[in-house]
Amino acid sequence: MIKVGVVGGTGYTGVELLRLLVAHPSCELVAITSRAESGKAVADLFPNLRGLTDLSFVAPDAAQLGECDLVFFATPNGVAMTQVPELVAGGVRVIDLAADFRIADQAVWEQWYGMRHACPELLPEAVYGLPELNRQAIREARLVANPGCYPTAVALGFLPLIEDGLVACDFLVADTKSGVSGAGRSANVAMLMGEMGESFKAYAIPGHRHQPEIRQTLSRVSDEPVGLTFVPHLVPMIRGIEATLYARLTDRSVDLQALFEKRYRQDCFVDIMPPGSHPETRSVKGANHCRIAVHSPREGDVVVVSSVIDNLVKGAAGQAVQNMNLMFDLNEDCGLNQVALLP
Amino acid sequence: MIKVGVVGGTGYTGVELLRLLVAHPSCELVAITSRAESGKAVADLFPNLRGLTDLSFVAPDAAQLGECDLVFFATPNGVAMTQVPELVAGGVRVIDLAADFRIADQAVWEQWYGMRHACPELLPEAVYGLPELNRQAIREARLVANPGCYPTAVALGFLPLIEDGLVACDFLVADTKSGVSGAGRSANVAMLMGEMGESFKAYAIPGHRHQPEIRQTLSRVSDEPVGLTFVPHLVPMIRGIEATLYARLTDRSVDLQALFEKRYRQDCFVDIMPPGSHPETRSVKGANHCRIAVHSPREGDVVVVSSVIDNLVKGAAGQAVQNMNLMFDLNEDCGLNQVALLP
Amino acid sequence: MIKVGVVGGTGYTGVELLRLLVAHPSCELVAITSRAESGKAVADLFPNLRGLTDLSFVAPDAAQLGECDLVFFATPNGVAMTQVPELVAGGVRVIDLAADFRIADQAVWEQWYGMRHACPELLPEAVYGLPELNRQAIREARLVANPGCYPTAVALGFLPLIEDGLVACDFLVADTKSGVSGAGRSANVAMLMGEMGESFKAYAIPGHRHQPEIRQTLSRVSDEPVGLTFVPHLVPMIRGIEATLYARLTDRSVDLQALFEKRYRQDCFVDIMPPGSHPETRSVKGANHCRIAVHSPREGDVVVVSSVIDNLVKGAAGQAVQNMNLMFDLNEDCGLNQVALLP
Amino acid sequence: MIKVGVVGGTGYTGVELLRLLVAHPSCELVAITSRAESGKAVADLFPNLRGLTDLSFVAPDAAQLGECDLVFFATPNGVAMTQVPELVAGGVRVIDLAADFRIADQAVWEQWYGMRHACPELLPEAVYGLPELNRQAIREARLVANPGCYPTAVALGFLPLIEDGLVACDFLVADTKSGVSGAGRSANVAMLMGEMGESFKAYAIPGHRHQPEIRQTLSRVSDEPVGLTFVPHLVPMIRGIEATLYARLTDRSVDLQALFEKRYRQDCFVDIMPPGSHPETRSVKGANHCRIAVHSPREGDVVVVSSVIDNLVKGAAGQAVQNMNLMFDLNEDCGLNQVALLP
C-alpha cells in the first residue's frame, strides 16, 4: 500500500481527490491537512464521505508528511513550492495539483503568477504530468506538475494535429468553457449561484494563466512558433470542460479521424468518438476520460476539434491519481474505473 | 457469475442499472432489450458506457431471457406483469422496477393504475423490495417489487416512528421533492429544460400513485389507520429526492436520535445524520445511501424528518441491485460502493 | 414626482428595487447609498441598468436623505432601526425591507434577531406592509415594515382559511421552498453555485425567524392559538418561492375555491388559479403577483394550498413599491405591470 | 392602434411576442392562431399572461388575418411562405420570425432548408430585418425577414470590423453558445432537462443553417469573400446567447473601442461596454439589448469580440417588435423598455 498524504484537502480538487483515494485499492490515506479546518472530521465537511473515512483534518506542520510515499498538494498556487524541496529531499514523491511547477521558464511563471518562485532549482526536473505526452518521464519522476484543467482538454485536442505539422500554428484558436467548480470553493460574490446561475460569459479575454501553459506544451511538439488565442468562459453547471479548437489545415488530404485514433490508441483515458460526433460534458461526469471529436467543416480547409473532460477528474484529481499509478507501477487505470454519471 | 437480463434499457432507470451492472463484480450482463432501439449499440445511446460494454439492444422476444438467472424489468408500468409469469415459471427470478407488483390489493392497484392486472395470482408472493423492512423475505423471493422512489425516502423516514407507535397516524404529512429524472426519458413538452428549468411547483396534489404504496407500507407496521397527505414537487435539478415528513408526537419523552440510530444500526445504506443536520441531496448523488435527520422543533410536540436519496439509485436501480445481492447471497453492498459525487 | 432614496442598494433586494424604480412613472430616484461601493456608478455594478440611470452610490451620511419624500431601507437587519427615528421625525416616510419593524413584540424580536432593538418606541406605529391585510393603514403610515418573503407567500395562503375559522390552528404546516437569491448577495461559501447547484435541502428546521412573523400575522386573525410548523428549503434556482400549506379542515362543507376567490376579489396582485391547478414559480418571475391554488385531497378532511411568488418582487421590492403606491395615493399597480418572464 | 395578428403563438417565440405585445402601448392584438390549441385560452397555456389577455387561440383559417395591419409569423420554417403572398397582396404587412425569407439566394435556401421555396418571387423584396443595418428599408417594407438569433449576435459583433476592412475575412471564427429555449418548445427527448441540464456540448459542427445567413450579411458589407467557421453550442440555461468572435487584424493601429462606439452611436439597442468588459447574458435577460465588448489580446494582431443577446428578445420577438415600430413610424424602442432581470 502506498502511504499518501494530501495537503490542502478542503477545496473542490481536494474533496475530489479524497473521493478517488478512499476507494483506491492500493493506497492508504494517512494525512489530510487544512489549517482552517484542523481537528474537524473530513466527513463532517464533505458528507458524501460519511462512513468512508474516519480521518480528521490536521494542521500542516503536524501531519508528518515526511513519512508518506507520496504527497499530493491541492493547495492554492504558491504553497507547494515552499514545502516541496524538503519533502523531495527526504525521499517523498510529490504531485502538485496547483501551478507551481507547470511552467519551465521561471520568468514567464513569475510574470503570470505575480510572485517570485521559491524553488526555481526544481523546475528543470519537474515533469509535466500529462501521461498521454510524458508517460515514461512520469514513471520515474520525483516531482510531477499536474496539468491545468483547460490545458488538459486543449492539449489533447491539438496534439495530433501539431505533432504531425498539419495546421498553421500562427493562428490557433481555443474557445473553452468550464463549469463553476473550476473557480474553486472560496467565498467570492462573483461565484454565488445568484450571480452564476442562468448566465454565460467569457472572462479573461486579455490573458489567462493557462495560455502560456498550453503554448509551452504545444511549442514542445511544434516546429513553428505557436500563436494561440485562448478564451475561457463560465457555464452555469458544476462540472465539465468543453474546448472547441479551430485551426487552418495545411494539408487537406489527411484522414483526421484515423490520425486521432492512431495517436491515442495506447491511451486508455482518451476516447476518439465516431465521425460526426459532438461529445457532451456529461458523458465524462465523474470519470477520468477525455472524449474528442474531430471535424473538418464543409469547405474542408479548417479543422474543428471538440474535447470534453470533467475538470475535477481528468482536469485535476483523476489525472493526479493516474500519475500516481504510473509513478508506483500500478495499472494506469487502477482505482479510476468510475462510470460517468448520466443523466 | 449471475447471468442477468434487463428488459427496457433505454430509460433513466435502465441506463442507471447498466452503470451499476457493468461494474458489478459478480454479474454478467447477457441481454438488454429495447424494441425501439433494437440493433443499436448501448454505448451509442449512452456515451458514458463507451468502452464498458459492447452489447447492443435486442428485441424483447429475441432476448432469450429464459436462460438468465435474474431479469430486471425497467419498463413502463403494465409491461412486466405480462411477461413475468412465464419467466418465473421457468425458474428465472425477477426484480420489477416498475409498479406492477408493489400493491398487494388488486383493486387498489387497478384503481390507481387504470388497467386490469394481468397476473393477480402472483401478487401474494411478490415481495416488496425494501431491504430495511423485508430483508429475509427478499433473500428467498422469486419475484421482487422494487419500491418507488418517493416511497423509499418516505417509508425509511417514517418507519421508526410508526413501528414504535410514537406519532398520531391520523394526520401524517409527507412533502416530497424530486429532480426531473424521476419523470423519465420520454418526449414530453412539460419536461423540457425550457419548461422545468428555473422553476418549482407542486404536482398531483389531488392524488399520486405513490400515496397508496406508502400507506400500505406504513399500515403494515401501524396499529392505527394511517392518514397520509402526500404532495410531490418538481425541483430544477436532475437527480435527488428530499422528503420532509411531519407528524405530531404522542410521546415527547423519547430520544428520537437514539431511536433512529438503533432502528437502522444493521442497515449499511441508511445513514442517520448527527443531531441538527440537514441532509443535502448531493450527499447521495450517484450513491445508494439514504441520509436522514430527525428534529423536534421548538415546541417539542412535533417531529420533522428530512430524508434524502438519489431517486435513480436507492430510489430505483441501486435498490434493485441491493435486492439482487440479497437474492443471490452476495454481500448486500456488493458493487454498490460508489462514492457520491460532490460537488 | 415622489423623491425617493434607497439605503443599501448593493444587494439583490436593492438591485430589484432599482429595476422597478428606474421604470416607475411617478418617482424620481435621488440617492442610492452604499458605504462599500461609494463613488461607483450603479450601472457598473449592475449592468442591466446601463443606460437607465446615471446615479452613483454615495456614502450614507452624504446622501441627504432628509430631503426625500420616501426612503427605502434595503439594508441588513439592524441598520434601519438606527436611522429611521431621525428621518421620520423630519417628515420622511420610510419603508424598511428588512425585519427591524416586522414584529410588534420587542422581546420576541430581540430573541430571534439576537440584538437589542434601537427604537422600540416606533414599533407600535409601524404598519406591517401586507396590502391584502392592512391596505388602509398602509396608506396613512409613516413607517411601513415590508413583510418577509416566506411570510408573504404563507400568510396569503392561510389567511382565508383562518379568518373564517375553517381549520384546526393547533397544527398548521408550512413547507416552503426558495430560490437562492433569498440568501442575499454576500460572500458565503455555502451559497456558491458549486455548493447549491444540483442539490436540494431543508434548513433551519429547529427554528427560522420567519416563523414568529407568520405566527403573528395569523394570530391576529385567529380566535385560537396558532401552532405553526415552518420548514424552509433551498431550491437550485435563482428566483421564486413556493409554499405548500397543510391543515385539517374543521368544516368540510365549505367551497374552498369560492372562499379564496371572494377573499381576494379586490386584490390585483393575488391570483386564485382555477380548481386543480399547480402554480409554477416561473409564472410570477419578475412580476408582483402571488398565484394560489387550493385543494382538498381525496379524503376531504385536509386542505392543501400551494402559493407562489417571486421572492424579490412580491416577496420584497415589488411589495415595497406597492406599499409606496398606497402611501402616495397612486394606483396600487403603478409601475408594477411587468409581465412574468416565461420561459 | 396597429391591429396585429400572430400566426403560431404556442412556441417560445410566440409567447415572448405575446409578453411584449400585451404591454405595447400602440398595438391591439386581434388574433392568435394555433391549430393544435384552437379554442384554448392563451392564459391557460401561458400562466404568466393571466389577467393580461382574454384571447383564445383560433384556427389559422378562422383568424381573419386579412383585416390586420400587421401579421407576425412565429411558425416553423416553411409555413409563412405559403400564406404570405395572399396577405401581402391584400395590403397586410408581414414580419416572419422564421427563416423563409432570410436568404436571398433561392438555391442556397433550398439546399439548407431541404424544401422548395413556395414564393421565390417575394424574395427580392423581403427586407432582412436587422435595424442596425437596414433601418430605412425596414421602415418601408411590406415583408420583413426577422433575423435568426445567432446571426443577430454574430453580425452585430463583426459588422464594424468588416465594414471598415480591418480583418482578414478568409478565416473568421464565430464560436456561439445558446440557452435551450433556442431549440423551441416541442416534444423532443434531446431537449429534456434530464438530457440538457448540467451538460454542455457543441452541435452542428459540420454545418448549421445560420452559417449561410451570417455569411450573406457579412458578404454584403465586405470587399473580400467571407470564410466563416461557425460552431454553435448548447448551454444549460433557458435564455441567452453569447458569441465569441475571432479574426486577425489587418491593421493594428485602429482604436477598436472608438470604432465600435461610433458605429452604434445611433442604435439604442446596441451597448458597447467599457474597455476590458466581459458581457454576461443575464445583463440582457428579458431585454432587447445587445451588449458587446471588443478586445485585442496581448499580441495585438487578433481581435476578439464578445456579444450577448437574449435569444428570445433581440434574437427573435423583441427585434420583431423593433421592426414593427420602424414600419409604423413609432419610436424604435416603443414598448421595449423592459429592464433585464438580474439576478
Side-chain angles (χ1 to χ4, degrees), chain C residues 27-343:
Chain C
C27 77
E28 180 195 354
L29 197 49
V30 297
I32 307 172
T33 80
S34 163
R35 203 172 298 281
E37 302 289 351
S38 173
K40 186 168 196 167
V42 169
D44 283 356
L45 194 64
F46 298 123
N48 62 327
L49 298 175
R50 284 176 60 83
L52 298 169
T53 178
D54 50 12
L55 280 178
S56 291
F57 293 105
V58 294
D61 30 338
Q64 301 183 292
L65 298 170
E67 297 170 15
C68 292
D69 299 309
L70 174 69
V71 170
F72 292 99
F73 281 84
T75 42
N77 297 323
V79 174
M81 66 184 180
T82 66
Q83 302 181 26
V84 164
E86 185 181 336
L87 287 171
V88 169
V92 180
R93 297 170 87 178
V94 168
I95 298 175
D96 179 23
L97 285 84
D100 296 11
F101 301 98
R102 289 182 192 157
I103 297 198
D105 184 323
Q106 180 183 353
V108 170
W109 190 89
E110 292 182 345
Q111 175 197 341
W112 280 93
Y113 288 88
M115 50 182 129
R116 299 222 24 120
H117 203 288
C119 63
E121 66 281 5
L122 283 178
L123 287 174
E125 85 157 274
V127 176
Y128 188 71
L130 190 66
E132 292 77 12
L133 188 64
N134 292 329
R135 186 169 282 114
Q136 196 49 45
I138 293 164
R139 286 192 214 275
E140 295 157 17
R142 293 197 301 173
L143 171 56
V144 166
N146 212 56
C149 51
Y150 289 126
T152 296
V154 174
L156 292 174
F158 268 137
L159 278 175
L161 297 166
I162 295 178
E163 287 171 346
D164 281 21
L166 299 172
V167 292
C169 284
D170 60 336
F171 188 34
L172 304 174
V173 173
D175 189 289
T176 62
K177 303 88 176 177
S178 175
V180 297
S181 61
R185 188 177 165 273
S186 51
N188 180 351
V189 169
M191 300 309 295
L192 294 177
M193 183 157 181
E195 300 291 302
M196 280 294 107
E198 283 291 300
S199 192
F200 184 91
K201 67 170 179 183
Y203 68 102
I205 302 180
H208 185 282
R209 290 163 172 182
H210 285 175
Q211 197 268 1
E213 182 181 337
I214 300 167
R215 212 176 156 215
Q216 168 183 277
T217 302
L218 300 184
S219 295
R220 284 173 175 168
V221 300
S222 172
D223 296 330
E224 299 176 73
V226 170
L228 172 70
T229 301
F230 170 79
V231 177
H233 301 73
L234 276 166
V235 184
M237 64 183 184
I238 297 177
R239 286 171 179 249
I241 279 180
E242 193 269 347
T244 307
L245 313 178
Y246 303 85
R248 299 196 80 157
L249 284 169
T250 51
D251 176 358
R252 298 192 192 194
S253 67
V254 70
D255 179 340
L256 293 170
Q257 182 72 22
L259 172 82
F260 273 68
E261 289 180 0
K262 183 175 169 208
R263 171 60 179 82
Y264 292 116
R265 188 176 299 158
Q266 310 295 332
D267 295 297
C268 57
F269 290 118
V270 179
D271 174 26
I272 305 304
M273 307 274 291
S277 296
H278 296 91
E280 308 167 87
T281 61
R282 66 177 188 151
S283 74
V284 295
K285 188 160 54 184
N288 197 46
H289 289 81
C290 175
R291 300 198 203 274
I292 292 176
V294 57
H295 292 256
S296 186
R298 293 186 317 136
E299 292 82 0
D301 61 341
V302 172
V303 58
V304 177
V305 176
S306 175
S307 163
V308 300
I309 60 171
D310 183 323
N311 56 305
L312 295 179
V313 192
K314 184 62 176 169
Q319 186 143 269
V321 171
Q322 186 181 354
N323 283 323
M324 176 186 76
N325 290 343
L326 290 170
M327 292 164 82
F328 289 86
D329 284 325
L330 303 172
N331 284 336
E332 193 166 334
D333 62 353
C334 182
L336 289 172
N337 59 346
Q338 294 79 13
V339 187
L341 209 60
L342 178 161

Side-chain angles (χ1 to χ4, degrees), chain A residues 22-44:
Chain A
V22 297
H24 194 287
S26 302
C27 77
E28 180 196 355
L29 197 48
V30 297
I32 307 173
T33 79
S34 163
R35 203 171 299 279
E37 303 289 352
S38 173
K40 185 169 196 166
V42 169
D44 284 357

Side-chain angles (χ1 to χ4, degrees), chain B residues 50 58 72 139 160 183 195-196 210 250 306:
Chain B
R50 283 176 60 82
V58 294
F72 293 98
R139 287 191 214 275
E195 301 292 300
M196 279 294 107
H210 285 174
T250 50
S306 175

Side-chain angles (χ1 to χ4, degrees), chain D:
Chain D
M1 299 295 278
I2 312 163
K3 286 194 287 182
V4 168
V6 175
V7 180
T10 62
Y12 289 142
T13 300
V15 62
E16 188 68 357
L17 205 45
L18 297 177
R19 178 177 76 93
L20 299 174
L21 293 175
V22 297
H24 195 286
S26 302
C27 77
E28 181 196 354
L29 198 48
V30 297
I32 308 173
T33 78
S34 164
R35 204 171 298 279
E37 302 289 352
S38 173
K40 185 169 198 168
V42 169
D44 284 356
L45 194 65
F46 299 123
N48 62 327
L49 298 175
R50 284 176 59 83
L52 298 168
T53 179
D54 49 13
L55 280 178
S56 291
F57 293 105
V58 294
D61 28 337
Q64 300 184 293
L65 297 170
E67 297 170 16
C68 292
D69 300 309
L70 174 68
V71 170
F72 293 99
F73 281 84
T75 42
N77 296 323
V79 174
M81 65 184 182
T82 66
Q83 302 181 25
V84 163
E86 184 181 337
L87 287 171
V88 168
V92 181
R93 298 169 87 179
V94 168
I95 298 175
D96 179 23
L97 285 83
D100 296 10
F101 301 97
R102 288 183 193 156
I103 297 198
D105 183 324
Q106 180 183 356
V108 171
W109 190 89
E110 293 182 344
Q111 174 197 342
W112 282 93
Y113 289 88
M115 51 183 128
R116 300 222 25 119
H117 203 288
C119 62
E121 66 280 7
L122 282 178
L123 287 174
E125 86 157 274
V127 176
Y128 189 70
L130 190 65
E132 293 75 12
L133 188 64
N134 292 330
R135 186 169 284 113
Q136 195 49 45
I138 293 165
R139 287 191 214 275
E140 296 157 15
R142 293 197 301 172
L143 171 57
V144 167
N146 212 56
C149 50
Y150 289 125
T152 296
V154 174
L156 292 174
F158 267 137
L159 278 176
L161 298 166
I162 295 177
E163 287 171 344
D164 280 22
L166 299 173
V167 292
C169 285
D170 60 336
F171 187 35
L172 303 175
V173 173
D175 188 289
T176 61
K177 303 89 177 177
S178 175
V180 297
S181 62
R185 188 177 164 274
S186 51
N188 180 352
V189 168
M191 301 308 295
L192 295 177
M193 183 158 180
E195 300 293 299
M196 279 294 107
E198 283 291 301
S199 193
F200 184 92
K201 67 169 178 183
Y203 68 102
I205 301 180
H208 185 281
R209 290 164 173 183
H210 285 175
Q211 198 267 1
E213 181 182 337
I214 300 167
R215 213 175 154 216
Q216 169 184 277
T217 302
L218 301 183
S219 295
R220 284 172 176 170
V221 301
S222 173
D223 294 332
E224 299 174 73
V226 170
L228 172 70
T229 302
F230 170 79
V231 176
H233 301 74
L234 276 167
V235 185
M237 63 183 185
I238 298 177
R239 285 171 180 250
I241 279 179
E242 194 269 347
T244 306
L245 312 177
Y246 303 85
R248 301 196 78 160
L249 284 168
T250 52
D251 176 357
R252 299 190 192 195
S253 68
V254 69
D255 178 340
L256 294 169
Q257 182 73 22
L259 172 81
F260 274 68
E261 290 180 0
K262 183 174 168 209
R263 171 60 178 81
Y264 292 116
R265 190 175 299 156
Q266 310 295 333
D267 295 297
C268 57
F269 290 118
V270 179
D271 173 26
I272 306 305
M273 306 275 290
S277 296
H278 296 90
E280 308 166 87
T281 61
R282 65 177 187 151
S283 75
V284 295
K285 188 160 53 183
N288 197 47
H289 288 80
C290 174
R291 299 197 203 276
I292 292 177
V294 57
H295 292 256
S296 185
R298 292 185 317 137
E299 293 80 2
D301 61 340
V302 173
V303 57
V304 177
V305 177
S306 175
S307 164
V308 300
I309 59 171
D310 183 323
N311 56 305
L312 295 179
V313 192
K314 183 63 176 167
Q319 187 144 268
V321 171
Q322 186 181 355
N323 283 323
M324 175 186 77
N325 290 342
L326 289 169
M327 292 164 82
F328 289 86
D329 284 324
L330 303 173
N331 284 337
E332 192 166 334
D333 62 354
C334 183
L336 289 172
N337 59 346
Q338 295 78 13
V339 186
L341 209 61
L342 177 162

